[in-house]
Amino acid sequence: MNFTLTMSFLGAAILLTLLPGPDILFVMAQSISQDKKAGIATALGLCSGLIVHITAATLGVSAIIYQSALAFAVVKYTGAAYLLYLAWQSFKEKEAGFTIRQNEPLKYPSLYKKGIVMNLLNPKVSLFFLALLPQFVDKSIGHIPLQMFLLGILFLVQAFAIFAAVSVFSEKLGYVLLGNSFIAKRMNMIKGFILGIIGI
């Protein structure tokens, strides 16, 4: 794999994982309302669900690549356009803040299962991987399916590491991100900026 592309992907993956969204907010909510183990159990479920999306994206895009170089280019630029669309949506919602809803305490196995279901039932995750992974594939070195799968696993590992850290420090992070109205109201703009840069 191309080292520069891989490091670029890792940087983008870390930024995207840190963006406030349903997954990270649910991890925070469980950690704040219960304990860090509840957040980690949720994170394990979410990351288990990612394996399905990564495999689907790898097999789907790989099949297209083997058929046509033009088709690969279409997938790649369509993916970039989708990322820019997500950025535009974030800018449209720039004034919306983020809230954490208190849920009834759930046992760790239930949280793990809920994490899997949340992830699998979110079609945006599949679209996101279809959009993101091809941007960091080096077609010149071949082994496209392996490259995409390894990038997906790298995304999964860093996502779990970040979710686990968020679980441990969620109380402080929650107060900083959600207790400060100035930051909360600008989270969508930050998200839009990051998605736009990656799309470009």
Side-chain angles (χ1 to χ4, degrees):
M1 288 175 66
N2 183 302
F3 179 78
T4 304
L5 272 179
T6 302
M7 289 300 101
S8 298
F9 174 81
L10 181 58
I14 290 169
L15 286 173
L16 290 166
T17 302
L18 287 170
L19 291 176
D23 291 353
I24 200 165
L25 289 178
F26 188 64
V27 169
M28 289 175 71
Q30 297 310 319
S31 300
I32 290 169
S33 64
Q34 296 188 65
D35 55 29
K36 65 184 178 184
K37 290 181 182 177
I40 291 171
T42 304
L44 279 169
L46 291 167
C47 290
S48 296
L50 284 180
I51 295 171
V52 176
H53 293 294
I54 291 164
T55 303
T58 299
L59 294 176
V61 174
S62 297
I64 291 170
I65 290 167
Y66 283 124
Q67 293 298 318
S68 163
L70 175 63
F72 174 69
V74 169
V75 168
K76 186 168 182 173
Y77 289 113
T78 302
Y82 178 68
L83 292 171
L84 292 172
Y85 169 72
L86 292 178
W88 176 71
Q89 279 195 321
S90 294
F91 285 126
K92 273 179 55 180
E93 299 165 0
K94 63 183 178 182
E95 291 304 320
F98 288 89
T99 58
I100 290 181
R101 291 176 183 167
Q102 294 292 333
N103 297 309
E104 250 185 68
L106 296 171
K107 293 182 180 177
Y108 303 144
S110 297
L111 286 169
Y112 175 74
K113 291 174 187 173
K114 188 170 180 64
I116 294 175
V117 171
M118 276 180 64
N119 197 273
L120 291 179
L121 295 182
N122 186 354
K124 288 184 179 179
V125 179
S126 288
L127 288 171
F128 181 75
F129 275 108
L130 282 169
L132 184 69
L133 294 181
Q135 314 304 323
F136 296 92
V137 166
D138 185 351
K139 196 164 183 286
S140 66
I141 64 175
H143 305 291
I144 305 297
L146 180 60
Q147 283 190 68
M148 290 187 64
F149 185 74
L150 290 176
L151 287 173
I153 294 301
L154 180 59
F155 188 98
L156 186 155
V157 170
Q158 67 79 35
F160 178 72
I162 288 174
F163 285 164
V166 166
S167 297
V168 174
F169 299 108
S170 62
E171 197 162 11
K172 291 180 182 178
L173 285 173
Y175 289 138
V176 171
L177 295 177
L178 305 174
N180 186 318
S181 61
F182 178 84
I183 294 174
K185 286 183 178 178
R186 283 155 182 80
M187 279 300 168
N188 280 319
M189 291 192 70
I190 295 168
K191 179 178 169 183
F193 177 76
I194 293 170
L195 287 168
I197 291 295
I198 294 170
I200 291 168

